[in-house]
Amino acid sequence: MLFNSYEFIFAFLPLSFFIYFFLLEKRLVTGAKGFLVFASLFFYSWWNVAYLPLILSSMLFNYVVGNSLNENFKKVQVHKKGLLTFGITSNLALLGYFKYTDFFLENFNLAFDGSVPLLHLALPLAISFFTFQQIAYLVDSYRGETAEYDFLNYALFVTFFPQLIAGPIVHHAEMMPQFASKWNMVKNYKNIAAGLFIFSIGLFKKVVIADTFSKWATAGFDHAEVLNLIEAWATSLSYTFQLYFDFSGYTDMAIGAALLFNIKLPINFNSPYKALDIQDFWRRWHITLSRFLRDYIYIPLGGNRKGSFRTYTNLLATFILGGIWHGAGWTFVFWGFLHGMALVIHRFWKALGFNMPKVLAWFITFNFINIAWVFFRAKEWEDALKVLNGMFSLDSVVLPQKLSAFFKSSDVVSFGLWAEDISGSNWTAVWLFLGFFFVSVLKNTYELIRYPGIDSKLFRPLYAGFFSILFFVTLVLMTMSTHTEFIYFNF
Amino acid sequence: MRAKQTVFIFFGVSVSLILSFFSMLYAYDPLQLFHKHWHGDKRVLSRDMRAQAAGILNTYDYDSIILGTSMLANTSAKEASAVFGAKFLNVSFPGSDFYERSFVLKYALKNKKVKKVLYSLDDIGLVEGRERDASDFSYLYDTNRFNDFKIYITKKQLTCLFLFSSSPQCQGEVRDIDRPTAWYYKQEHKQRFGGMKNWFKAKNSPQIKKAFANILDVTKKIKNREVAKKFPLEEKKLELKNYLDKNIISIAQQYKDTEFILMLPPYSRLNYAMNAQYDKQKFELYLSSLLYLVVKSSEVKNIKIFAWGNEKFVDQIKNYKDPSHYEYTFNSWMLKQIKLKQGLLNNDNVNSYINLFKDKSLHYDIFKISKSIETYLDQE
């Protein structure tokens, strides 16, 4: 079930909310948790019930391993480590089987001129997210940072529907105390109001902004054969904005929906396109994934504790793995490599004590991110090169006819239909301008709400009216939208 | 307290907006999905019959329907009602395949007890087995009436709604409910009947241009002894049988009290001859689908198959405005023929019908027509 669907907004979410709190009012705490797990599994199975046994067995396995790690806390270190290694390897094997088998076979066939048939396995929804979340749980259990003896609680931690499909990736220790708190077992109107506002903003970001940009990004990357300078930049920027508004819109909806149940999920985005360097970007973009990569890959590899060279290689390795996590393809690996290299260069630059004017720093950071997204989005290398060629070639500049009064036509510059090959119009320029404005000038959702606290100034009729109009307009526009699925559902 | 008030205001405003919006859409209802027009001319209908048919079936009375393409668009519902003693509505839509029509058909049958269905077996379904994507209108024909509003939530319709406009762009034009998609009275079509000379006069018509190009191309290929591109014939025959089962026969089996009168629209002999003499596989598909339906009609008693492909008027080009479309008088003629059971095919007469049909199509002189076109074009 999609957050941006009528069945979720008008049926699933309100029903889940009322039944959950009804059961809590009747002091049926276990029943309420059980119901929430059931509702979440129903939400998950809505796409394809065939995936249900997979997530259930994954949960059961990790619960048993996690519990064993806790019980064996005082036993010999080797045994615990072996169990942890077994747990992590099994999780990675499951993820690897579904996500990377064909990628491996394709490359094997290519390298050894083989003809091993591909398996064409369908990627089970959310597998990357629930696998990482459970690996984190195992490591936390191993470290003695968390413990769970109740399978229902554990199932709730993994399946809680707002964060199940595409994060935020949460720690057991930050979720379960919230479900256990007595304060959270009664309806909290502050949280409900803030949740509704955040959900409305997220829905607007997805339906109105991201889906608008997706038309041009899809046309440019997937359909156009050649792109001129303006079309290529419009394509790459459209995707840069689409991805941000799609994923941050999803996260807003997840955080908003969770707040209705008095659960505060960690924030995942903090105006990432305002970043002034690449390290700053990764502190603002997909924050819970960055946190996972830092805590469970970069630091265990040695982090920055083993000298500069090891720090650089650790950074590079972490980001290459981050790239692979996003998808089984060399373009994702290269995207991870680019970001890893950028972080290495940034560290080196900092170590030398250099500084840069803020505007220039923003310009370089934003453009690097925009260019790197080209590899992230392209289905094939050829698509990436097509967009990059257009972006950096002055062979063809097609300007709108209206500008012919201001520019002379030449071998390079001609006048015609604006961004024709990406189905663009004058509105494309307006939207790109708005995109820049939204990401670089406006406050983000959490600054506005002051989340994870909640700004009581929001509780005014004017705001309520504004957000309800925003919600209504988005609902109407949702009917016209043809691009519905969230990008991160593919990862 | 302020937070609680905020939540109530949020829901209050949202619910009010949603209710007002849907009330406005309900009141405006240009396709008459929910009620007949409350304002403007009551006879206004949209030209988009794929959607408009839902409105017609929802708000007009009927116990029988005419469902075809442009071949049945000129059939008068009033006349059919008089001939068969029923209350017909004509919901034919141009260029429709059997898959698209299946949504309308099932809906009409579910909505009311239907006595008769007059249905044209056009090449688009009978030979091509086309399944055009119907997702842009099929929801109008499901059991959920609420999702019908979706058809009005487009930029164009919302603009119309806020202006409460009854302009033709918004609501459509005045059309006779007797035959809403009829074209017989339109000058650009009317003037092309009467023979080849009138086709020449209308040389700029896209249908005529296409017909000329096609005729010249086919005759050239026949002269050069070229054969049409081949495809796996038996596979396609099987595919078509499944297509006919799914979109017509299974529905007829489900509604045993409804008489399904399936008629092969009598295209011009020129049309059949081009297939028989050049695109032989296509011609064979036409005949095999026809044979299959006739055999099926002996099992499914409420199906009747009518065809008039061996009639003399089929050989005379003056009765056609292009290789397919006949004059509207034949729509009346066909109704009477059906009433008299003339042209009814069954297991006993289908083979002799097919043999004669083949013979006539194979021996029709296409070259005479192509020559006259060439002469005309040379003079031009």
Side-chain angles (χ1 to χ4, degrees):
Chain A
M1 201 177 296
L2 295 167
F3 287 166
N4 56 331
S5 66
Y6 293 111
E7 54 268 26
F8 178 81
I9 294 169
F10 290 115
F12 181 83
L13 188 59
L15 274 177
S16 306
F17 173 83
F18 284 116
I19 296 173
Y20 178 69
F21 282 107
F22 172 77
L23 292 170
L24 286 177
E25 264 174 37
K26 299 284 170 198
R27 298 178 188 276
L28 299 167
V29 177
T30 308
K33 283 181 186 172
F35 166 74
L36 213 45
V37 171
F38 169 78
S40 299
L41 291 172
F42 175 81
F43 171 84
Y44 182 77
S45 309
W46 187 262
W47 279 276
N48 192 344
V49 74
Y51 298 146
L52 188 60
L54 185 80
I55 191 172
L56 285 174
S57 31
S58 168
M59 271 190 327
L60 194 63
F61 171 80
N62 284 296
Y63 169 70
V64 172
V65 174
N67 242 359
S68 309
L69 284 167
N70 290 321
E71 282 164 9
N72 292 323
F73 189 61
K74 288 174 188 166
K75 291 188 183 172
V76 279
Q77 198 70 8
V78 179
H79 178 60
K80 263 185 70 181
K81 210 164 198 171
L83 192 59
L84 177 68
T85 311
F86 170 68
I88 293 175
T89 312
S90 303
N91 275 296
L92 291 178
L94 180 78
L95 184 62
Y97 174 70
F98 282 104
K99 199 163 177 175
Y100 303 107
T101 306
D102 277 358
F103 177 60
F104 173 76
L105 291 175
E106 266 175 21
N107 285 290
F108 177 84
N109 286 340
L110 203 68
F112 300 103
D113 202 20
S115 56
V116 183
L118 304 184
L119 300 184
H120 298 294
L121 296 167
L123 185 68
L125 191 69
I127 190 168
S128 306
F129 285 91
F130 69 69
T131 305
F132 264 36
Q133 193 157 310
Q134 293 187 102
I135 288 176
Y137 168 73
L138 294 184
V139 177
D140 292 350
S141 300
Y142 170 78
R143 290 173 180 166
E145 289 168 5
T146 195
E148 183 57 74
Y149 301 106
D150 182 334
F151 182 67
L152 188 63
N153 279 344
Y154 182 75
L156 187 57
F157 153 66
V158 178
T159 63
F160 183 48
F161 70 85
Q163 53 83 45
L164 170 61
I165 308 297
I169 300 168
V170 289
H171 286 285
H172 183 263
E174 67 191 340
M175 289 293 284
M176 295 329 291
Q178 295 193 63
F179 280 114
S181 163
K182 283 185 180 162
W183 296 107
N184 287 344
M185 289 186 187
V186 286
K187 279 192 240 68
N188 178 330
Y189 283 98
K190 270 190 173 184
N191 285 343
I192 295 171
L196 290 170
F197 291 174
I198 296 174
F199 189 89
S200 304
I201 294 172
L203 190 66
F204 181 81
K205 278 181 175 177
K206 164 66 183 159
V207 173
V208 180
I209 308 179
D211 289 354
T212 300
F213 281 117
S214 84
K215 282 181 289 189
W216 303 312
T218 305
F221 275 102
D222 299 343
H223 306 310
E225 285 181 11
V226 185
L227 296 168
N228 64 43
L229 182 84
I230 291 175
E231 287 167 347
W233 278 96
T235 298
S236 70
L237 289 170
S238 290
Y239 184 66
T240 295
F241 294 138
Q242 181 202 348
L243 184 61
Y244 170 66
F245 287 109
D246 189 283
F247 196 18
S248 73
Y250 171 84
T251 310
D252 288 354
M253 283 187 260
I255 289 174
L259 254 186
L260 301 179
F261 296 85
N262 296 325
I263 301 298
K264 289 188 176 174
L265 295 176
I267 68 165
N268 230 3
F269 292 90
N270 183 19
S271 301
Y273 294 149
K274 286 179 186 167
L276 298 181
D277 59 60
I278 195 67
Q279 192 180 30
D280 188 19
F281 172 76
W282 279 105
R283 284 183 184 137
R284 294 162 174 266
W285 177 273
H286 204 172
I287 296 165
T288 56
L289 175 70
S290 305
R291 183 175 71 173
F292 180 93
L293 294 174
R294 183 197 63 203
D295 294 348
Y296 301 103
I297 300 178
Y298 176 68
I299 292 175
L301 282 173
N304 60 0
R305 301 185 306 275
K306 295 187 177 174
S308 300
F309 182 73
R310 274 297 297 275
T311 305
Y312 297 152
T313 47
N314 290 342
L315 272 175
L316 204 54
T318 304
F319 274 85
I320 288 174
L321 287 172
I324 296 172
W325 176 82
H326 280 91
W330 287 110
T331 48
F332 285 111
V333 176
F334 189 63
W335 171 80
F337 171 78
L338 283 178
H339 273 272
M341 281 306 294
L343 278 156
V344 168
I345 293 167
H346 171 254
R347 251 178 196 267
F348 190 63
W349 175 272
K350 259 176 58 180
L352 293 175
F354 291 153
N355 267 321
M356 197 183 278
K358 276 187 174 179
V359 176
L360 184 62
W362 175 83
F363 181 80
I364 292 173
T365 308
F366 180 82
N367 277 288
F368 167 77
I369 293 160
N370 182 44
I371 290 164
W373 284 142
V374 171
F375 293 97
F376 188 86
R377 168 62 176 81
K379 287 179 181 161
E380 308 287 342
W381 286 106
E382 290 74 22
D383 294 334
L385 296 176
K386 170 186 75 181
V387 176
L388 290 172
N389 276 339
M391 287 167 78
F392 295 103
S393 157
L394 285 174
D395 291 349
S396 168
V397 181
V398 181
L399 295 173
Q401 197 66 47
K402 282 176 191 167
L403 295 181
S404 59
F406 306 102
F407 297 93
K408 278 185 179 175
S409 66
S410 65
D411 290 346
V412 174
V413 178
S414 58
F415 298 93
L417 289 173
W418 201 85
E420 191 182 9
D421 285 342
I422 58 164
S423 314
S425 67
N426 291 341
W427 283 106
T428 316
V430 174
W431 273 101
L432 288 172
F433 173 79
L434 285 173
F436 273 111
F437 178 74
F438 291 149
V439 300
S440 56
V441 177
L442 291 187
K443 280 183 178 178
N444 66 47
T445 310
Y446 311 106
E447 288 168 333
L448 209 68
I449 309 280
R450 299 206 178 172
Y451 187 84
I454 289 165
D455 188 356
S456 53
K457 281 181 196 161
L458 282 170
F459 304 132
R460 290 180 186 166
L462 188 69
Y463 283 110
F466 170 77
F467 282 109
S468 55
I469 291 170
L470 188 80
F471 180 63
F472 165 73
V473 169
T474 312
L475 285 179
V476 171
L477 294 174
M478 224 164 86
T479 316
M480 295 188 217
S481 181
T482 48
H483 306 79
T484 50
E485 206 163 276
F486 291 93
I487 293 175
Y488 260 70
F489 283 18
N490 300 318
F491 300 142
Chain B
M1 190 59 203
R2 276 173 64 191
K4 191 171 182 177
Q5 200 182 24
T6 305
V7 172
F8 281 102
I9 293 172
F10 179 90
F11 280 117
V13 175
S14 298
V15 170
S16 311
L17 284 170
I18 291 167
L19 286 179
S20 316
F21 178 68
F22 283 106
S23 304
M24 279 166 72
L25 285 179
Y26 183 86
Y28 186 52
D29 191 23
L31 292 170
Q32 305 181 68
L33 295 169
F34 308 106
H35 54 79
K36 285 193 180 171
H37 289 309
W38 285 351
H39 71 294
D41 196 315
K42 305 280 183 269
R43 296 165 301 162
V44 164
L45 291 169
S46 163
R47 63 181 294 186
D48 177 12
M49 208 53 187
R50 282 168 173 79
Q52 181 62 84
I56 293 175
L57 292 170
N58 286 349
T59 48
Y60 288 84
D61 191 25
Y62 68 94
D63 66 17
S64 296
I65 59 164
I66 300 165
L67 182 57
T69 56
S70 52
M71 296 295 155
L72 291 189
N74 292 334
T75 302
S76 161
K78 266 186 215 157
E79 191 181 354
S81 303
V83 170
F84 297 107
K87 181 135 188 63
F88 273 91
L89 280 177
N90 189 338
V91 285
S92 299
F93 43 106
S96 58
D97 59 49
F98 302 171
Y99 169 72
E100 288 176 285
R101 275 188 249 165
S102 70
F103 293 97
V104 183
L105 182 59
K106 284 189 237 174
Y107 186 71
L109 292 164
K110 203 181 279 178
N111 245 3
K112 294 224 168 112
K113 193 163 168 54
V114 173
K115 286 185 193 166
K116 286 185 199 305
V117 174
L118 287 182
Y119 191 99
S120 66
L121 295 168
D122 309 77
D123 276 7
I124 215 164
L126 202 66
V127 178
E128 291 176 30
R130 194 188 75 179
E131 281 196 8
R132 180 189 173 272
D133 178 20
S135 57
D136 55 342
F137 70 89
S138 58
Y139 55 86
L140 296 173
Y141 301 95
D142 60 19
T143 46
N144 178 359
R145 293 297 299 277
F146 194 74
N147 67 4
D148 292 2
F149 282 109
K150 196 176 159 190
I151 198 101
Y152 296 144
I153 306 178
T154 62
K155 276 181 199 163
K156 187 188 137 194
Q157 284 294 346
L158 290 179
T159 313
C160 293
L161 171 73
F162 290 116
L163 299 172
F164 230 77
S165 167
S166 52
S167 69
Q169 291 80 9
C170 288
Q171 288 206 322
E173 289 163 357
V174 171
R175 289 169 197 276
D176 191 351
I177 190 67
D178 183 39
R179 33 189 160 180
T181 49
W183 47 264
Y184 69 96
Y185 59 90
K186 292 181 180 168
Q187 192 56 27
E188 73 258 34
H189 300 294
K190 213 160 78 171
Q191 68 185 6
R192 284 169 19 209
F193 291 103
M196 288 296 289
K197 62 179 187 300
N198 291 335
W199 287 22
F200 295 142
K201 279 184 199 163
K203 61 179 187 294
N204 292 327
S205 149
Q207 279 180 331
I208 291 295
K209 276 185 182 169
K210 194 178 156 195
F212 283 176
N214 194 20
I215 295 163
L216 294 176
D217 183 49
V218 166
T219 45
K220 190 178 146 198
K221 282 174 174 163
I222 295 171
K223 265 186 210 163
N224 295 340
R225 296 179 184 281
E226 286 178 45
V227 284
K229 199 179 167 190
K230 296 218 169 187
F231 49 83
L233 187 63
E234 293 310 313
E235 213 173 282
K236 185 70 185 173
K237 278 184 188 173
L238 190 67
E239 191 187 301
L240 284 173
K241 281 179 187 172
N242 293 333
Y243 179 79
L244 295 169
D245 281 343
K246 188 177 94 178
N247 297 307
I248 303 177
I249 294 165
S250 63
I251 301 173
Q253 282 172 323
Q254 207 183 329
Y255 293 91
K256 289 194 166 60
D257 295 335
T258 304
E259 191 181 3
F260 286 76
I261 299 164
L262 312 180
M263 46 219 274
L264 284 109
Y267 301 136
S268 74
R269 180 74 57 215
L270 171 65
N271 185 306
Y272 297 127
M274 284 198 289
N275 289 338
Q277 295 173 37
Y278 170 66
D279 203 343
K280 292 179 181 169
Q281 281 194 322
K282 194 175 168 187
F283 191 66
E284 203 177 324
L285 280 181
Y286 179 84
L287 297 178
S288 84
S289 290
L290 166 62
L291 191 61
Y292 177 70
L293 282 171
V294 173
V295 172
K296 274 283 171 186
S297 72
S298 65
E299 297 164 16
V300 186
K301 298 293 178 197
N302 55 330
I303 293 182
K304 303 275 183 290
I305 313 288
F306 285 86
W308 302 278
N310 295 331
E311 294 295 325
K312 270 191 185 159
F313 77 87
V314 174
D315 300 325
Q316 294 163 339
I317 211 77
K318 66 173 184 182
N319 296 318
Y320 292 85
K321 69 169 178 122
D322 57 47
S324 317
H325 294 90
Y326 41 82
E327 215 178 3
Y328 77 98
T329 48
F330 292 104
N331 294 77
S332 295
W333 179 84
M334 285 190 282
L335 292 177
K336 283 158 199 150
Q337 293 293 301
I338 293 167
K339 179 73 181 166
L340 298 169
K341 297 206 164 91
Q342 297 293 315
L344 176 65
L345 296 181
N346 53 41
N347 283 344
D348 299 331
N349 65 7
V350 68
N351 286 325
S352 60
Y353 173 86
I354 286 177
N355 289 339
L356 182 60
F357 182 76
K358 258 188 193 171
D359 189 56
K360 284 188 169 217
S361 303
L362 283 168
H363 294 101
Y364 184 77
D365 190 358
I366 312 174
F367 292 94
K368 194 175 152 192
I369 290 180
S370 75
K371 202 168 180 187
S372 71
I373 295 170
E374 275 171 350
T375 312
Y376 173 76
L377 292 177
D378 286 345
Q379 283 168 358
E380 282 280 290

